Amino acid sequence: MGTKIKQASLVLAGLACDLSGLQRFLRVRTTINPLRPQNSSVLVTGGIYRFTRNPMYLGHLIFLTGLAITFWSWFALMILALRSLWFHRRVLFDEQRLAARNRVSHAALDAVCKGGDAFVRRGTRPVKGQRDLSFALEPVVLR
């Protein structure tokens, strides 16, 4: 019984991470469609984005991990591995495009995003009462 609770917890944690990222995008009224980056209007850094740059991708991977463990499926593990590679490549492409769109270096974008890798930020802690640090995406140099 305890194992099933742990498995379900992974699935639910993945869904919660995914939905939290979606909620933040909807709150600031920007697109969630990665295939239409020209429709994005803000870089979201508040909420769950204080902890991860890509909560929807990370949530999806946690969800798939939970499913693979729940069903003891090699096929699901293979899908998880392939999705992980695809998400990583997608993130690198998206971040390069975002930096180019705003005419900044990837290092400047990384500084705005508070460091870390594509999925987990390093050294960030939530600050009580911190507001969303989203800013409009404009073709300006970030300082």
Side-chain angles (χ1 to χ4, degrees), residues 76-135:
L77 283 174
M78 191 169 46
I79 291 173
L80 173 64
L82 292 173
R83 291 299 282 188
S84 297
L85 290 172
W86 186 85
F87 281 153
H88 182 69
R89 291 181 58 86
R90 179 72 202 198
V91 165
L92 294 176
F93 176 74
D94 288 346
E95 288 183 354
Q96 287 174 349
R97 186 174 49 204
L98 181 62
R101 176 180 173 194
N102 290 284
R103 297 186 190 128
V104 296
S105 68
H106 192 269
L109 178 65
D110 193 52
V112 170
C113 293
K114 298 183 182 90
D117 61 20
F119 292 104
V120 179
R121 292 186 179 184
R122 291 186 281 265
T124 58
R125 292 186 181 142
V127 177
K128 188 174 183 177
Q130 180 180 6
R131 298 182 58 197
D132 190 352
L133 299 175
S134 303
F135 62 89

Side-chain angles (χ1 to χ4, degrees), residues 5-71:
I5 291 173
K6 291 175 186 173
Q7 293 164 347
S9 296
L10 272 177
V11 171
L12 293 175
L15 285 174
C17 190
D18 211 353
L19 292 174
S20 181
L22 173 65
Q23 178 271 338
R24 184 56 65 161
F25 267 47
L26 295 174
R27 184 175 180 189
V28 297
R29 294 189 174 112
T30 193
T31 184
I32 62 167
N33 186 349
L35 302 176
R36 299 206 177 263
Q38 66 276 12
N39 294 342
S40 61
S41 58
V42 295
L43 177 64
V44 181
T45 60
I48 194 166
Y49 287 89
R50 290 181 298 197
F51 306 103
T52 175
R53 287 186 183 185
N54 300 286
M56 290 183 262
Y57 291 165
L58 180 61
H60 188 79
L61 295 176
I62 293 169
F63 176 81
L64 286 176
T65 302
L67 289 181
I69 292 171
T70 299
F71 296 113

